[in-house]
Amino acid sequence: MSTDEAITGEAESQQAKRSPSDFLKTVLGRPVSVKLNSGADYKGVLACLDGYMNIAMEQTEEYEDGQLKAKYGDCFIRGNNVLYISAKKK
């Protein structure tokens, strides 16, 4: 195995070891989509979150069944309602 192969393999294994916490740190301040247990979708900019997954978002839009339902300047979502957080593609 060459040195280049070892370095490439090491970098790939580090990427595979990324935790959810690492993901959340990278999406702070970026557009995200938050899906709730109720089925509602919130799309906006992730302002902050805490260890309980409580979320603060800005420029938020609420969608239900794919239809825009409301627009909010700021939105606060309690963590126990969150099904998942997805980063929007650039």
Side-chain angles (χ1 to χ4, degrees):
M1 180 187 298
S2 73
T3 306
D4 289 338
E5 289 173 332
I7 291 170
T8 303
E10 192 174 307
E12 287 175 358
S13 68
Q14 285 180 353
Q15 284 182 340
K17 293 181 183 177
R18 285 184 52 193
S19 70
S21 179
D22 294 334
F23 164 75
L24 292 171
K25 288 175 189 171
T26 63
V27 297
L28 273 174
R30 292 184 40 206
V32 294
S33 177
V34 178
K35 181 82 164 190
L36 302 187
N37 295 327
S38 67
D41 237 340
Y42 290 83
K43 297 179 183 181
V45 177
L46 184 62
C48 65
L49 59 103
D50 65 12
Y52 295 102
M53 199 85 86
N54 295 318
I55 298 171
M57 296 173 67
E58 299 170 340
Q59 305 167 27
T60 310
E61 297 176 335
E62 179 183 12
Y63 290 85
E64 250 183 59
D65 300 324
Q67 299 292 324
L68 179 63
K69 190 164 186 177
K71 290 186 178 188
Y72 307 105
D74 294 323
C75 175
F76 300 95
I77 301 172
R78 186 172 168 166
N80 67 335
N81 295 312
V82 176
L83 184 60
Y84 66 80
I85 301 172
S86 173
K88 287 188 177 180
K89 293 186 175 38
K90 291 182 180 180

